[in-house]
Amino acid sequence: MRNLFLLLLVTLLTACGGSDDNSQQEVAQPPVTPTPPSAISLCDQSTSSVNWEALMSEDCDNLASYGLFIDPTTPTSDAVEPGLHYELSSQLFTNYAAKYRFLFIPDGGQITFNLTDTFEFPTGTVLTKTFSMPYDTQIKDAENQVLIETRLLIKREAGWTTLPYQWQDGEAKLAQAGADIPHTLNHQGQVETFNYHVPSRVECKLCHQLNRNGSSNISPIGLKAHLLNHDINYRGETINQLTLWQRLNILTGLPNLQEIAHAPSLFDSQSNLTQRVKGYLDINCAHCHRAEGFASISGLRLGFHINHTSYQYGVCKQPPGWDGGPKGLSYDIVPGNGEHSILLYRQELNEPKDRMPPLGRSLIHTEAVELIKHWIDSLPPSLGSCQ
């Protein structure tokens, strides 16, 4: 009986993987399929040159990922090649912010000149605009400014796209939904505390959209001949900006400079007041107040090349869809009477439903309001009878 028990015990141990010398047999494991490494984002690539691949395909969380500036904490100077600083002769008002603009054209790309409208840009073009707010508008040096935002316009294969970046602690982070940033400003002895608004991507589109052939597309605003046709300093040389672009082989179709209009700064007292005001209204208003713009239904057309004595420019024109505000005004421009002109009045109002432009400012541009009033007052009443 005892021998039979031992025989059964040995049989059981052998079936369970045991052995008569008490060693364990290894259990076979299924084959392991190696896990491929996760794809590295183009935004994470380290490069000393412009990160064109990321610019064309990814919305990077950090502005620095695109490699646009030699010092990524200083987007106001020293762009990486082929970045080129450019200047507009008349400025869009944004709460007295200083603005720094750069243009990046991919190798071999060219801009197509247009005499009256925005230039056509090659796929791959990148436009950067950095907004830096002063603490005192009378002091111009960088130590008196704080970086607020950098906006990108990128022309990808599918068209232009907008990317707003907010600066904080030396970094610019993508602000998809926008942001409100408290700021205190001393302007000629008057202290203003307000929220500077960084626009969301949706709000960017409101200003930059053009509706053509049944579709809505984003387009640059300020890159027009009359706003670029002026002298700048390039590496110590004074040269016409458009001539420079032609010399650098990034602009094609440039005619004789005498054929191109020039929109002077609103505050260039040596220039014609009408041209100064029209340049200001063009850069601040015409992107919406044009046939393809967001405010097309208003019928008001404020492009630089529109006849400023015409009905479509607002002379004795009643705007649809606005109640006239607290004053109950009726006409966009009343020749000889700025006080009763809606065009001026809405630049003095600051409620969201009334102010113009509706986005981009929290403060009233008092100096501009004064000059535009002077211009309207100078228009002969004989231009139209607003009765």
Side-chain angles (χ1 to χ4, degrees):
M1 180 64 104
R2 181 178 178 186
N3 290 337
L4 179 60
F5 174 76
L6 290 173
L7 179 62
L8 289 171
L9 180 59
V10 170
T11 302
L12 288 170
L13 286 171
T14 303
C16 293
S19 66
D20 57 0
D21 62 0
N22 295 325
S23 65
Q24 289 189 333
Q25 180 178 341
E26 291 186 2
V27 179
Q29 298 293 328
V32 177
T33 303
T35 303
S38 59
I40 298 175
S41 167
L42 293 171
C43 298
D44 297 331
Q45 292 185 354
S46 178
T47 175
S48 60
S49 59
V50 173
N51 190 349
W52 293 105
E53 287 186 287
L55 283 163
M56 292 303 103
S57 60
E58 295 197 33
D59 300 340
C60 296
D61 289 332
N62 297 300
L63 177 64
S65 298
Y66 291 128
L68 296 169
F69 298 95
I70 294 174
D71 180 352
T73 67
T74 310
T76 58
S77 63
D78 299 326
V80 173
E81 293 288 345
L84 180 67
H85 172 70
Y86 72 95
E87 301 171 14
L88 303 183
S89 55
S90 192
Q91 300 285 329
L92 188 148
F93 176 71
T94 313
N95 302 317
Y96 298 101
K99 298 173 185 176
Y100 305 86
R101 299 174 173 86
F102 289 89
L103 166 72
F104 297 78
I105 299 294
D107 187 37
Q110 284 192 310
I111 305 164
T112 302
F113 180 85
N114 189 304
L115 190 62
T116 60
D117 209 341
T118 306
F119 294 170
E120 182 64 33
F121 292 85
T123 298
T125 297
V126 180
L127 306 174
T128 76
K129 181 165 63 170
T130 295
F131 297 71
S132 188
M133 280 300 301
Y135 295 106
D136 189 320
T137 58
Q138 302 301 106
I139 303 174
K140 302 301 181 183
D141 57 76
E143 288 71 23
N144 178 60
Q145 299 175 3
V146 57
L147 287 174
I148 296 287
E149 60 166 323
T150 295
R151 302 178 192 174
L152 300 192
L153 265 179
I154 307 171
K155 191 171 185 182
R156 295 173 173 166
E157 290 291 344
W160 290 98
T161 191
T162 61
L163 293 176
Y165 288 86
Q166 177 187 351
W167 283 93
Q168 193 169 12
D169 300 326
E171 286 188 305
K173 297 280 192 178
L174 184 61
Q176 297 263 17
D180 287 312
I181 304 170
H183 187 74
T184 298
L185 174 75
N186 180 359
H187 179 58
Q188 298 180 353
Q190 182 173 347
V191 177
E192 301 271 8
T193 298
F194 61 97
N195 282 333
Y196 180 104
H197 183 65
V198 176
S200 67
R201 294 184 74 177
V202 172
E203 289 172 323
C204 288
K205 185 175 181 180
L206 290 179
C207 287
H208 283 273
Q209 75 175 0
L210 291 180
N211 299 303
R212 289 172 173 160
N213 303 319
S215 63
S216 176
N217 299 292
I218 294 172
S219 174
I221 289 174
L223 287 141
K224 303 175 184 176
H226 52 271
L227 294 168
L228 296 165
N229 181 25
H230 58 94
D231 288 347
I232 61 168
N233 182 283
Y234 178 71
R235 298 180 179 178
E237 175 188 5
T238 298
I239 183 173
N240 179 276
Q241 188 164 222
L242 295 174
T243 300
L244 171 65
W245 289 12
Q246 183 184 55
R247 179 199 292 180
L248 296 175
N249 201 33
I250 61 171
L251 177 64
T252 183
L254 180 68
N256 191 297
L257 292 180
Q258 280 66 43
E259 300 176 28
I260 307 172
H262 167 65
S265 166
L266 181 62
F267 305 105
D268 178 5
S269 59
Q270 303 303 308
S271 296
N272 177 273
L273 179 60
T274 294
Q275 298 300 97
R276 292 155 58 190
V277 169
K278 291 189 72 175
Y280 180 87
L281 295 177
D282 181 276
I283 188 63
N284 282 273
C285 311
H287 48 281
C288 285
H289 285 284
R290 56 181 291 170
E292 309 90 344
F294 184 69
S296 61
I297 194 173
S298 71
L300 185 62
R301 306 289 182 256
L302 293 174
F304 186 76
H305 294 280
I306 301 294
N307 181 353
H308 65 277
T309 67
S310 67
Y311 176 82
Q312 66 175 335
Y313 205 81
V315 174
C316 294
K317 190 188 80 62
Q318 293 181 300
W322 192 63
D323 60 10
K327 288 184 178 179
L329 302 186
S330 299
Y331 302 98
D332 288 327
I333 294 178
V334 180
N337 193 338
E339 190 69 26
H340 287 83
S341 297
I342 291 173
L343 178 72
L344 181 73
Y345 184 43
R346 296 193 73 174
Q347 294 180 66
E348 299 176 287
L349 299 174
N350 223 5
E351 290 299 318
K353 72 179 185 67
D354 295 322
R355 71 176 169 223
M356 284 291 166
L359 294 171
R361 72 169 180 88
S362 303
L363 304 177
I364 298 168
H365 196 185
T366 53
E367 298 86 351
V369 167
E370 180 181 339
L371 284 169
I372 294 170
K373 181 181 186 303
H374 178 54
W375 173 69
I376 296 176
D377 287 344
S378 72
L379 295 175
S382 59
L383 283 180
S385 177
C386 304
Q387 301 294 334

